[in-house]
Amino acid sequence: MQYLSINNDFTYQMKNWPGFNVQSNEFTGHIIRYMPRDYEIFRRMPAGAMYPEALEIANQIFNEKITELERNSGKKIIEGSEDWQRIHKATVPPYKVHRYPNKFRKMWADQPARTVPAHIGKDSYSHIHFDSHQACGISLREAARLQSFPDAFQFVGSMNSQLTQIGNAVPPLLAYAVAKSLRAIRFS
């Protein structure tokens, strides 16, 4: 692992980790959680925004959909009606704003990511991709890279299981740095 201490280019390290070299430009694990209700919310969220902002955006989208439906149908959509409830359910996340204020979080392009939690296997709202064109949670491979797993490292099981493995893991580069420091102390 001496290689890692010589070259500080993280991307290069992840692609060329000794014993885990990527053989081609094809990586595995570029799968994301299917969350169609939330893609437009993610697209509109500014970097660093959390659930209160996401909920506000969702309500704006909901109001836009109601206005469009009223304009197209020529009829007033009554709050609580079947149409109103259907559109609301399809547009606005059900989480209480005061109970889960940091449930959603859009990452920044130029700041460190939050810790990848084990529950990322249940949802990926804590790591919404900073690129609004992608408008999704991070992929399995991106979560692995945030934890410093080399690109060629293979996880097994379902997507949820793999994400939980990533979130539960001690980041390999952290483990290496700790081991290297302990070794230096032991032999000094």
Side-chain angles (χ1 to χ4, degrees):
M1 293 299 267
Q2 180 183 10
Y3 165 82
L4 293 175
S5 64
I6 295 170
N7 187 324
N8 291 323
D9 181 11
F10 185 73
T11 301
Y12 187 82
Q13 290 177 14
M14 294 300 99
K15 290 180 181 178
N16 298 288
W17 189 313
F20 290 96
N21 296 55
V22 176
Q23 299 301 317
S24 69
N25 287 335
E26 292 187 27
F27 303 106
T28 62
H30 282 301
I31 54 175
I32 61 168
R33 188 169 309 287
Y34 182 66
M35 302 180 287
R37 177 200 65 207
D38 302 322
Y39 296 145
E40 184 59 25
I41 299 168
F42 295 167
R43 186 180 287 48
R44 295 185 189 191
M45 287 174 71
M50 292 192 291
Y51 187 63
E53 294 91 347
L55 188 57
E56 187 176 309
I57 290 166
N59 282 314
Q60 290 171 356
I61 295 167
F62 170 72
N63 289 330
E64 291 167 9
K65 288 181 177 183
I66 291 291
T67 300
E68 183 179 345
L69 182 59
E70 287 176 341
R71 184 175 45 242
N72 291 340
S73 69
K75 66 177 184 170
K76 178 82 174 140
I77 305 299
I78 307 299
E79 184 173 340
S81 69
E82 191 175 305
D83 284 339
W84 189 95
Q85 289 180 23
R86 178 182 49 79
I87 295 168
H88 192 270
K89 185 177 180 179
T91 308
V92 180
Y95 316 111
K96 295 179 181 0
V97 71
H98 63 280
R99 188 164 179 202
Y100 301 107
N102 62 354
K103 180 165 181 63
F104 283 47
R105 181 160 222 167
K106 189 164 184 176
M107 299 170 67
W108 290 272
D110 59 352
Q111 293 184 23
R114 294 171 70 185
T115 300
V116 177
H119 71 75
I120 199 164
K122 302 281 185 224
D123 69 54
S124 54
Y125 292 116
S126 65
H127 288 76
I128 299 168
H129 206 288
F130 63 84
D131 180 358
S132 292
H133 295 290
Q134 292 190 40
C136 61
I138 60 173
S139 71
L140 191 145
R141 181 53 51 201
E142 289 165 330
R145 202 179 246 198
L146 287 176
Q147 286 288 79
S148 79
F149 282 96
D151 289 343
F153 192 91
Q154 297 292 311
F155 297 92
V156 295
S158 67
M159 182 175 115
N160 288 352
S161 174
Q162 291 179 58
L163 285 166
T164 300
Q165 291 168 48
I166 292 165
N168 277 332
V170 173
L173 289 180
L174 174 62
Y176 174 71
V178 169
K180 186 176 173 184
S181 295
L182 290 175
R183 184 174 185 200
I185 291 168
R186 183 172 182 229
F187 293 112
S188 61

